[in-house]
Amino acid sequence: MTERVYNFSPGPAVLPVPVLEQAQREMLALPGVGSSILEISHRSKAFLEILAEAEANLRRLLGIPANYKVLFLQGGSRLQFSMIPMNLLRDSGKTAEYVVSGSWGEKAAEEATYEGEMRVVWSGKATNYDRLPAWSEVPRGPRAAYLHITSNETIQGVQFAADPDSGDVPLVCDASSDFLHRPVDIGRYGLLYACAQKNAGPAGVTIVVVRDDLLDRAPKSVPSMLNYAAYAKENSMQNTPNTFGIYVFMLITRWLEGEIGGLNKMLEFNRAKAKLVYDALDESGGFYRGHAQRPFRSLMNVTFRLPSDDVEKRFLAGATEHKLCELKGHRSVGGIRASIYNAMPMEGARLLAEYMRDFARRNG
Amino acid sequence: MTERVYNFSPGPAVLPVPVLEQAQREMLALPGVGSSILEISHRSKAFLEILAEAEANLRRLLGIPANYKVLFLQGGSRLQFSMIPMNLLRDSGKTAEYVVSGSWGEKAAEEATYEGEMRVVWSGKATNYDRLPAWSEVPRGPRAAYLHITSNETIQGVQFAADPDSGDVPLVCDASSDFLHRPVDIGRYGLLYACAQKNAGPAGVTIVVVRDDLLDRAPKSVPSMLNYAAYAKENSMQNTPNTFGIYVFMLITRWLEGEIGGLNKMLEFNRAKAKLVYDALDESGGFYRGHAQRPFRSLMNVTFRLPSDDVEKRFLAGATEHKLCELKGHRSVGGIRASIYNAMPMEGARLLAEYMRDFARRNG
């Protein structure tokens, strides 16, 4: 087998090795089934059990109340940017309100304009998305259909550390890049969604957790394949879902419960990993300059600059030699981005911190 | 390893063993990359090479002319049922025309009504979808935005054996369940689409081949994630595509070119397999009653009834004992359906035919 590297990709991203090993073992035939997970009908007993376990495990991990539906969709978060206003804004006579804290929030807000009135109630653009609002800074409109936030901005590396309280307005949250990294009070959210390819599986599955009173808001003009209620009614099986993606997601929920011990433990682990990297950054005497202001630093994506583009290039080249890969920042921001999602081992974060200290010493 | 069965599932469906074996070997780390295909960025060099090879192989296999784009989307054919009229019908002042030859054609036609005027120009419903129209039977409207057909109806088992000629009206074809089973004259089609989970991979990827003059027909009201032109502009990478699904699709195109020797050979092979099963049916003296009229029989899905529900149940139970699995017909039609897609080995078709003969002898 080819040797594995430490993969700091922002997504698709590192997955737990035991999950990959089980998918590998079962690739030719699921035990007791005799066909691959890639080959079995979505209506087969074997797949229905996988789907049911995926949902049950997720409900236990997040403590999802009974009045919330769990949906497994396709199309990534980008399709949710459209589905949310189609279902919750179109023909409502209300306004969709967006907290724009980074590149993904910007894109989400823009898509809402296709369906109705959109208002940006807070934007971090003036300071290049290096901070987040205090909850008291966010104005509330009297006619809000919903309030949309992005819990973690993957590109800029800013993250809400706690669950906001939006009062009577349904809170809609894009949790794509920090889903399942800590416990969440689902009761505060009207709809929480995440594409899988950071903490929850391969690209091609999107998980939506939605309070059931929001399901009947879509007007009749919304086609069934873009309608949450239609998916809820058919238990995510209006058509063939991404069966393999759901299978890997199910294996990840098992890993989170079994190997990790739940989301409180996961958060401890994520804090310890992030501390390793941020400490190396903070102790560099300004050689590394973090993008996010300290109180808003992401536990998932550590973003920073080096003294020059040239030094950054050497940093990246040297990192790859140490098997520390995919550390280049997003093209819109530049610099370095170390994505240290749930499945990044402690050893990966430790080796990165060590490399950062060593590189700063030799180049500072 | 668990022993494999012969899997006659209508989809997700049997895949080539060498493809599964390669996916298994590389599950922990792609050679030279050090991460799993599930973990690498869609913008990484490794994935861009996979995507480029998938497209190049498909273009060679189907002889796709240069003025056609190849798109890799999500959401299955069901989302195409909506995207097609959004892009080609909405605000056009024209009429979408549908040949309805089975259950999938029905669903496709229904979704068009969300976007504009829809007209069924031919329907096989009166005879329970057991036949297809002669091309001269299909009336042409002067205001057609496009004409939609379903090349193979998975549930009823009726299939167009040749590429229709729709003249100046763009021909839109749902080829989900017979994609890549034979050579196709792409030049006759305006848009040809297929979900992957029959002949082209796991569920969660949809392949769209579209003539480039159709890309600019979508009005501005169509959101980018539902707009063909937006996908074409970004080479299917507006957002993260189903990277694993595209990888498996690429492996399947290699198998079709290398192991099978191209689509003419694939068609020969599929004809031989289908003959084995239909011969067993025809020689049963009426014990097995085929659903489709002979000239319209599908090479992919063989549908038939037995003398009674009770006998059908025993047929299915006995088949499973012989490792011939997933032969139950769709709930809307009943009976038996043997799906014998590209990857079904000749031996599977031979064993099924043998079992059918034996069962008829003992129960006829």
Side-chain angles (χ1 to χ4, degrees), chain B residues 30-233:
Chain B
L30 284 170
V33 176
S35 291
S36 171
I37 177 66
L38 306 183
E39 302 174 302
I40 61 171
S41 168
H42 55 302
R43 306 212 184 266
S44 66
K45 183 164 168 287
F47 181 72
L48 292 177
E49 284 172 8
I50 288 168
L51 180 68
E53 182 180 342
E55 177 174 341
N57 293 356
L58 180 65
R59 284 187 175 274
R60 229 172 14 247
L61 276 163
L62 282 176
I64 298 176
N67 63 326
Y68 284 72
K69 297 284 185 191
V70 174
L71 309 178
F72 296 96
L73 310 182
Q74 297 186 50
S77 291
R78 285 287 283 263
L79 188 57
Q80 294 311 302
F81 294 174
S82 294
M83 279 180 69
I84 289 159
M86 278 183 193
N87 282 267
L88 302 180
L89 177 62
R90 185 186 283 190
D91 299 349
S92 68
K94 295 184 176 175
T95 303
E97 302 195 332
Y98 282 74
V99 171
V100 176
S101 53
S103 304
W104 292 109
E106 266 183 19
K107 288 188 170 64
E110 187 193 331
E111 294 296 330
T113 63
Y114 284 80
E115 299 296 336
E117 198 182 322
M118 187 281 291
R119 190 164 79 102
V120 174
V121 291
W122 187 90
S123 170
K125 194 165 191 172
T127 60
N128 200 14
Y129 299 123
D130 68 350
R131 70 181 193 99
L132 295 171
W135 205 237
S136 58
E137 277 185 79
V138 178
R140 324 287 175 94
R143 289 170 48 252
Y146 59 85
L147 175 68
H148 184 283
I149 65 167
T150 310
S151 55
N152 182 65
E153 282 284 357
T154 327
I155 290 176
Q156 283 81 15
V158 293
Q159 182 180 34
F160 284 96
D163 305 313
D165 181 350
S166 63
D168 289 341
V169 175
L171 182 64
V172 175
C173 176
D174 178 359
S176 289
S177 57
D178 67 358
F179 190 51
L180 296 175
H181 92 292
R182 67 164 168 90
V184 161
D185 180 0
I186 289 286
R188 298 220 176 167
Y189 298 87
L191 188 154
L192 183 137
Y193 65 103
C195 60
Q197 68 264 22
K198 284 90 159 58
N199 275 337
V205 186
T206 308
I207 295 119
V208 173
V209 181
V210 55
R211 209 173 59 215
D212 57 15
D213 65 288
L214 297 176
L215 289 173
D216 61 2
R217 301 209 177 175
K220 284 202 177 6
S221 61
V222 177
S224 60
M225 284 297 293
L226 299 165
N227 186 317
Y228 293 124
Y231 282 100
K233 194 175 152 215

Side-chain angles (χ1 to χ4, degrees), chain A residues 84-85 96-100 105 108-109 112 118-122 146-148:
Chain A
I84 290 159
E97 303 196 330
Y98 282 74
V99 170
V100 176
M118 187 281 291
R119 191 165 78 102
V120 174
V121 291
W122 187 91
Y146 58 86
L147 175 68
H148 184 282

Side-chain angles (χ1 to χ4, degrees), chain A residues 51-214:
Chain A
L51 181 66
E53 183 181 341
E55 178 174 341
N57 293 356
L58 180 65
R59 284 188 176 274
R60 230 172 14 248
L61 276 163
L62 282 177
I64 299 176
N67 63 325
Y68 283 73
K69 297 285 186 192
V70 173
L71 310 177
F72 296 96
L73 309 182
Q74 296 185 49
S77 291
R78 284 286 284 263
L79 189 57
Q80 294 311 303
F81 295 174
S82 293
M83 281 180 68
I84 290 159
M86 278 183 192
N87 282 267
L88 303 180
L89 176 62
R90 186 187 283 190
D91 299 348
S92 69
K94 295 184 176 176
T95 304
E97 303 196 330
Y98 282 74
V99 170
V100 176
S101 53
S103 304
W104 292 108
E106 265 182 18
K107 289 187 169 64
E110 187 192 331
E111 293 296 330
T113 63
Y114 283 79
E115 299 296 337
E117 199 183 321
M118 187 281 291
R119 191 165 78 102
V120 174
V121 291
W122 187 91
S123 169
K125 192 165 192 174
T127 59
N128 199 15
Y129 300 124
D130 68 349
R131 69 181 194 99
L132 294 170
W135 205 234
S136 59
E137 278 184 78
V138 178
R140 323 288 176 92
R143 289 170 46 251
Y146 58 86
L147 175 68
H148 184 282
I149 64 167
T150 310
S151 53
N152 181 66
E153 282 284 357
T154 327
I155 291 176
Q156 284 80 15
V158 293
Q159 182 180 34
F160 284 96
D163 305 314
D165 180 351
S166 64
D168 288 343
V169 176
L171 182 64
V172 175
C173 177
D174 178 359
S176 289
S177 56
D178 67 357
F179 190 51
L180 296 175
H181 91 292
R182 66 163 169 89
V184 160
D185 180 359
I186 289 287
R188 297 218 177 170
Y189 298 86
L191 189 155
L192 184 137
Y193 66 103
C195 60
Q197 68 264 23
K198 284 91 159 57
N199 276 337
V205 187
T206 308
I207 296 120
V208 173
V209 181
V210 55
R211 210 172 58 215
D212 57 14
D213 65 287
L214 297 176

Side-chain angles (χ1 to χ4, degrees), chain A residues 3-5 7 12 15 24 28 34 39-40 74-75 78 111 114 197 203 220 224-225 238-242, chain B residues 3-5 7 12 15 24 28 34 39-40 74-75 78 111 114 197 203 220 224-225 239-242:
Chain A
E3 200 185 352
R4 281 173 61 83
V5 299
N7 173 12
L15 293 175
Q24 181 175 51
L28 270 284
E39 302 175 302
I40 61 171
Q74 296 185 49
R78 284 286 284 263
E111 293 296 330
Y114 283 79
Q197 68 264 23
K220 285 203 179 359
S224 61
M225 284 297 292
Q238 279 200 90
N239 69 337
T240 316
N242 182 335
Chain B
E3 201 184 350
R4 282 174 60 84
V5 299
N7 173 13
L15 294 175
Q24 181 175 49
L28 271 283
E39 302 174 302
I40 61 171
Q74 297 186 50
R78 285 287 283 263
E111 294 296 330
Y114 284 80
Q197 68 264 22
K220 284 202 177 6
S224 60
M225 284 297 293
N239 69 337
T240 314
N242 182 334

Side-chain angles (χ1 to χ4, degrees), chain A residues 41 43-50:
Chain A
S41 167
R43 306 210 184 268
S44 65
K45 184 165 166 289
F47 180 73
L48 293 177
E49 284 172 8
I50 288 167

Side-chain angles (χ1 to χ4, degrees), chain B residues 219-278:
Chain B
K220 284 202 177 6
S221 61
V222 177
S224 60
M225 284 297 293
L226 299 165
N227 186 317
Y228 293 124
Y231 282 100
K233 194 175 152 215
E234 301 286 344
N235 192 28
S236 302
M237 305 257 280
Q238 278 201 89
N239 69 337
T240 314
N242 182 334
T243 46
F244 177 73
I246 293 170
Y247 159 79
V248 176
F249 172 72
M250 184 276 285
L251 295 180
I252 288 172
T253 58
R254 278 190 196 168
W255 173 82
L256 282 167
E257 285 200 304
E259 202 134 338
I260 299 296
L263 295 187
N264 279 308
K265 291 281 183 192
M266 191 72 252
L267 177 59
E268 266 179 47
F269 187 72
N270 283 324
R271 280 186 176 141
K273 281 188 293 179
K275 185 171 187 313
L276 286 171
V277 182
Y278 282 116

